[in-house]
Amino acid sequence: MRVNQLIALLQEHNLYRGTTLSDDVAFDGLAYDSRKVSANSLFVCKGFNFSVDYLHQAVANGASCYLAEKDYDIATPGIFVTDVRKALSLAAQLYFGFPQNDLFVIGYTGTKGKTTSTYFTRNILEQTFPKQVAMFSTINHILGPKPEDQFKAHLTTAESFDIFREMRQAVTNGQKVLVMEVASQAYLLDRVYGLKFNVGLFLNISPDHIGVNEHPNFANYLFCKMQLMLNSDNCIIDADTDHFDEVLAAATVSTAPDHIFTYGVNQPTATVSLTSEEATLTASKFRLSVNQDTEQLADLATTYSVSVPGDFNQSNATAAILASALAGAHVTDMQTGLANTTIPGRMEVLTTKQHGTVYIDYAHDWGSMNALLHFLHAQFPDHRITAVLGSTGDKGEDRREGFAKALNDYANVAFLTTDDPGHEDPIAIAKEIDNHIDHTKVQTTIIPQREDAIHHAIATATNDDLVILAGKGQDAYQKINGVDTPYATDPVVAQEVIDELEA
């Protein structure tokens, strides 16, 4: 990566302020973590708590220049910009050779359903492009067909440097398509700045991620979500979402009308309308009608079966069908892919002999929790529902009242416990949820240790009970005081409890 190339790119985006470099030098490396700097690297000074000590460490490790919003007045030359986060994204794209140009990139945003829709889409496209579909999801990242190309995710949308580094690795591994989740934080923190998506999908919106460390208010959250519509060649929008008119208006700003597609449940004015034919815990089947006269979508009007239960997943599947169609998939690919998708930690079911049925799901906010409990209540209106859940610390504070609202509507018993408390006290978080619970409807117990809460929930259940373990899914850690503390995962803990009780 040459200096003049980078400066030209920064100027194109009105970010460049100047440099103390005198020559058009080339950099052999790029880093934003001072511990990962190598010889002749450009070091990017970013972070809310950035310290000049990090810069000194980077220089000691071999940085020959730094990129920053201010001149740190050191001997090492610098490149100065108005926004270092945006500059990092552009620098990463340049350094890794703009890998997005070699991929068909599909991005999903929404308060709920991103992970499920991403898995659906990848599984469909794997039928069309075998072993050539990469994925960035909340659960894991897949950069190629080999086991070493697959690993657990740490963020829903990674830092920009890591996004483009992984894109380049995916291209090197022969991947043709990338399906990724795009969190609101991705636009709030400019992690996907300058990235144009081939297809952008807006699933839904409900209050979430609002707090001192995230979005200041719902308006900002919605604004960041809608940025995907402004940065996509093709836009797909759920016509049933709240704020649909605003999202559609955002899409029309930069996308031609014939590249905007909508879908919804029994929505005759949408591009595609879905009608549920069966939605139980063992079967999910729906039919699509195409209301827009286009050859590209005409074949979609048929019936589909989905392997992941939940009527709400039929909408997620429809989004995946539309995205896959634009990527070149055939209807048979869609039908096969949807019927054979498994998602770790999503609606996993464990049966017991005397303690009801245990459901494990990543439901982590009001939207996902409400949809899950509503579906189970509709399936088993006479069964008692017991929920085990907590709420994350340091973010999404509005989730706590949302959880209580969902519990008040559908649950009978709640065990409030720990779920990635971060730097907060998990007991305080549980009490905050408890303050919003209607105790005339929901019997509530606070048990700090998650393993103990799961044990109590299953042990006190009868065969007429449904036990829901929400939030953690297959996560093998708890985020506690800045440390990823090992945790056996909800399915493992629950199975151990069941084995112990039945022994």
Side-chain angles (χ1 to χ4, degrees):
M1 178 174 66
R2 301 199 68 85
V3 169
N4 282 358
Q5 292 175 314
L6 177 58
I7 289 175
L9 187 58
L10 295 172
Q11 288 174 327
E12 181 183 339
H13 289 260
N14 298 313
L15 296 173
Y16 181 66
R17 288 177 49 217
T19 182
T20 52
L21 278 165
S22 56
D23 299 312
D24 179 24
V25 299
F27 300 118
D28 296 324
L30 176 70
Y32 65 92
D33 185 335
S34 57
R35 297 165 297 182
K36 297 180 180 180
V37 170
S38 57
N40 192 31
S41 288
L42 175 65
F43 175 65
V44 183
C45 304
K46 82 159 194 71
F48 294 117
N49 299 310
F50 182 80
S51 167
V52 70
D53 292 339
Y54 300 145
L55 176 55
H56 290 309
Q57 181 183 11
V59 171
N61 288 341
S64 57
C65 182
Y66 67 96
L67 179 70
E69 292 178 6
K70 60 178 287 187
D71 187 343
Y72 285 97
D73 195 25
I74 64 173
T76 302
I79 301 171
F80 309 112
V81 295
T82 57
D83 190 316
V84 74
R85 285 189 171 276
K86 292 179 179 179
L88 171 59
S89 183
L90 295 176
Q93 292 174 53
L94 177 62
Y95 180 72
F96 291 109
F98 298 95
Q100 65 267 36
N101 295 339
D102 297 316
L103 293 163
F104 188 93
V105 185
I106 300 170
Y108 278 96
T109 198
T111 304
K112 60 188 176 77
K114 294 189 297 296
T115 301
T116 300
S117 301
T118 298
Y119 267 84
F120 281 154
T121 306
R122 181 179 185 273
N123 215 41
I124 290 171
L125 292 174
E126 272 288 301
Q127 315 303 314
T128 313
F129 309 107
K131 298 182 179 180
Q132 294 176 311
V133 185
M135 180 177 74
F136 299 168
S137 84
T138 301
I139 299 176
N140 62 2
H141 285 204
I142 299 174
L143 309 183
K146 298 178 181 178
E148 59 265 31
D149 298 325
Q150 305 180 21
F151 51 90
K152 290 288 184 182
H154 293 287
L155 295 168
T156 300
T157 308
E159 185 54 77
S160 58
F161 174 88
D162 301 304
I163 288 174
F164 295 106
R165 176 179 56 81
E166 291 181 9
M167 278 190 183
R168 174 49 61 196
Q169 186 61 52
V171 172
T172 300
N173 291 339
Q175 306 301 281
K176 289 185 175 181
V177 182
L178 168 63
V179 188
M180 63 182 288
E181 297 183 42
V182 185
S184 58
Q185 294 281 304
Y187 281 105
L188 181 68
L189 301 177
D190 293 309
R191 291 173 180 163
V192 290
Y193 178 78
L195 175 60
K196 192 76 169 179
F197 292 82
N198 296 100
V199 182
L201 297 99
F202 193 105
L203 300 177
N204 47 65
I205 186 80
S206 58
D208 193 22
H209 294 290
I210 298 167
V212 293
N213 295 318
E214 296 186 284
H215 299 278
N217 48 52
F218 178 77
N220 180 262
Y221 177 55
L222 175 59
F223 173 82
C224 289
K225 285 285 190 190
M226 292 193 299
Q227 296 311 297
L228 179 60
M229 299 294 94
L230 296 168
N231 291 280
S232 297
D233 295 328
N234 296 278
C235 296
I236 299 173
I237 308 169
D238 187 343
D240 296 322
T241 185
D242 291 344
H243 301 275
F244 170 74
D245 291 340
E246 294 167 72
V247 178
L248 180 62
T252 59
V253 169
S254 57
T255 308
D258 60 341
H259 287 269
I260 299 174
F261 308 91
T262 59
Y263 66 96
V265 178
N266 300 319
Q267 285 270 16
T269 59
T271 308
V272 169
S273 177
L274 73 103
T275 301
S276 179
E277 295 189 348
E278 190 174 11
T280 68
L281 289 172
T282 56
S284 183
K285 187 177 180 181
F286 65 95
R287 172 172 288 278
L288 290 187
S289 302
V290 179
N291 305 315
Q292 183 173 303
D293 186 18
T294 169
E295 287 187 26
Q296 190 176 24
L297 303 179
D299 292 344
L300 302 185
T302 187
T303 301
Y304 304 84
S305 296
V306 186
S307 59
V308 183
D311 48 2
F312 47 92
N313 282 321
Q314 294 181 349
S315 286
N316 294 330
T318 302
I321 288 169
L322 284 168
S324 301
L326 296 179
H330 302 292
V331 169
T332 53
D333 299 330
M334 301 168 190
Q335 291 172 320
T336 301
L338 293 174
N340 296 281
T341 299
T342 57
I343 306 169
R346 293 287 187 197
M347 286 296 283
E348 291 191 33
V349 182
L350 298 177
T351 57
T352 73
K353 293 179 180 178
Q354 301 178 45
H355 299 276
T357 307
V358 180
Y359 296 91
I360 300 164
D361 194 84
Y362 277 111
H364 64 282
D365 56 21
W366 173 82
S368 53
M369 192 70 179
N370 186 71
L372 173 62
L373 294 183
H374 175 269
F375 175 70
L376 292 175
H377 178 73
Q379 293 295 308
F380 302 102
D382 298 327
H383 283 53
R384 191 174 70 155
I385 291 180
T386 296
V388 177
L389 73 154
S391 189
T392 53
D394 304 329
K395 62 179 183 178
E397 296 172 15
D398 53 310
R399 294 177 181 178
R400 299 164 194 184
E401 183 174 355
F403 278 135
K405 179 182 176 183
L407 293 171
N408 290 338
D409 288 341
Y410 299 110
N412 303 99
V413 179
F415 289 90
L416 304 181
T417 188
T418 301
D419 182 352
D420 291 341
H423 294 88
E424 293 191 59
D425 178 2
I427 300 299
I429 295 174
K431 288 180 177 178
E432 192 171 342
I433 300 172
D434 188 54
N435 287 339
H436 297 286
I437 291 178
D438 183 346
H439 294 102
T440 65
K441 296 179 179 179
V442 186
Q443 175 189 331
T444 308
T445 305
I446 296 176
I447 301 178
Q449 192 72 15
R450 190 173 181 92
E451 294 90 340
D452 293 343
I454 291 173
H455 187 281
H456 280 276
I458 297 175
T460 57
T462 70
N463 269 340
D464 290 326
D465 291 353
L466 309 178
V467 179
I468 293 90
L469 312 182
K472 292 301 295 176
Q474 294 267 9
D475 285 350
Y477 58 86
Q478 288 266 20
K479 291 183 179 294
I480 301 174
N481 293 321
V483 177
D484 286 352
T485 305
Y487 171 67
T489 77
D490 280 357
V492 169
V493 173
Q495 190 60 60
E496 288 176 351
V497 171
I498 293 168
D499 293 343
E500 176 188 335
L501 291 171
E502 295 184 347

